Amino acid sequence: MTTLSALSEIQRDALLANPWFASLPPAIQEDLVRRGRLRPLEVDQCLFRRGEVADGLFIVLEGCIRVGGTSADGYEALLNFYEPGSWIGEVAMFDGEPRLCEAHAHVRSLALQIVAADFEELLSTHPGFCRLMLRLTGQRLRQMLEAFEAFTTQSLEQRLAGRLVMLAAHYGAVTPHGVRIELQLPQESLAQLVGATRQRINQVLKQWEAQGLVSRERARLLLLDRDALARLARR
């Protein structure tokens, strides 16, 4: 049995860093974590696949989970990276339909799984939990609409700058020269993330290198001027 007190300090901090989880009454927090099953994941290990019947929802405790999909003709689309404290997989729990996306560990990760039966018991045991889950779903829908708006109204440079600033906020390590994103981010992944080609991503990164905004260290990026990138994303 998992309890809040049994989790490491880093794992508890990850949970409580999510404003939604922090807003839950303590009794619901404890009951939710108590019902959780720890799921350690190696690099690239699958958490769930498109088309599968939902076997629960997940809370990222450590590492990074990437969510995306593959079309019938083999085209891969990377939708998002989810940091510690994030909840994923709740949509299929509500509508009972197969999974729409796939989730893999981008690095070694740890997730807390709430299986379907326990999720239903949480809803019936705590009447207010249903409304709280609706709030979480509303927040996710708002994020999706904001992402869609950005995709349709912003330039590639704005979208890429926004993504890099966001990744730096969750996975950034401060160095004497800037903030290094501690995730391997091949250009193909960045292209999928912002809806562009790898060639265009390469062009933009070269331009930013010449302007002193970023530096490339193999598959990692160092943001030399994060403030300038943030301003570019807000234009």
Side-chain angles (χ1 to χ4, degrees), residues 88-210:
I88 58 176
E90 75 278 2
V91 173
M93 295 292 290
F94 278 115
D95 64 15
E97 297 294 323
R99 300 281 191 193
L100 283 172
C101 304
E102 299 185 353
H104 293 80
H106 194 65
V107 298
R108 289 187 66 181
S109 303
L110 180 68
L112 187 71
Q113 178 182 13
I114 310 298
V115 299
D118 281 328
F119 180 67
E120 291 298 328
E121 284 191 19
L122 281 165
L123 292 174
S124 60
T125 303
H126 306 283
F129 186 58
C130 184
R131 180 174 294 278
L132 292 166
M133 285 301 302
L134 285 174
R135 182 187 302 169
L136 177 65
T137 304
Q139 291 173 356
R140 187 62 55 84
L141 178 59
R142 180 181 295 273
Q143 292 169 357
M144 291 175 60
L145 291 172
E146 290 173 347
F148 180 74
E149 180 184 22
F151 186 79
T152 56
T153 62
Q154 291 185 336
S155 67
L156 166 60
E157 289 80 2
Q158 287 175 302
R159 298 198 304 273
L160 181 58
R163 286 288 191 169
L164 293 182
V165 170
M166 187 179 301
L167 288 169
H170 298 301
Y171 295 103
V174 177
T175 76
H177 304 291
V179 180
R180 184 176 59 244
I181 299 176
E182 298 288 14
L183 290 177
Q184 289 195 359
L185 296 171
Q187 290 182 15
E188 186 62 35
S189 295
L190 289 174
Q192 294 172 14
L193 199 58
V194 297
T197 64
R198 186 191 63 78
Q199 291 78 7
R200 281 290 291 127
I201 294 297
N202 187 47
Q203 291 172 0
V204 172
L205 291 178
K206 282 185 176 179
Q207 178 183 340
W208 286 354
E209 282 184 302

Side-chain angles (χ1 to χ4, degrees), residues 9-106:
E9 183 178 356
I10 291 176
Q11 293 163 359
R12 287 195 303 273
D13 288 346
L15 282 174
L16 294 171
N18 183 313
W20 180 84
F21 183 85
S23 72
L24 296 177
I28 297 181
Q29 289 182 357
E30 288 287 355
D31 197 10
L32 192 154
V33 174
R34 180 179 62 82
R35 296 172 184 273
R37 306 178 185 185
L38 293 174
R39 288 281 302 273
L41 299 161
E42 296 299 322
V43 178
D44 289 329
Q45 185 175 343
C46 183
L47 186 60
F48 56 77
R49 297 186 186 280
R50 181 187 179 97
E52 288 182 343
V53 175
D55 57 352
L57 57 83
F58 302 88
I59 312 160
V60 184
L61 294 180
E62 297 178 10
C64 175
I65 304 295
R66 66 176 187 269
V67 172
T70 305
S71 66
D73 58 1
Y75 175 77
E76 294 185 8
L78 175 60
L79 299 178
N80 209 352
F81 291 106
Y82 288 93
E83 71 279 356
S86 299
W87 292 60
I88 58 176
E90 75 278 2
V91 173
M93 295 292 290
F94 278 115
D95 64 15
E97 297 294 323
R99 300 281 191 193
L100 283 172
C101 304
E102 299 185 353
H104 293 80
H106 194 65

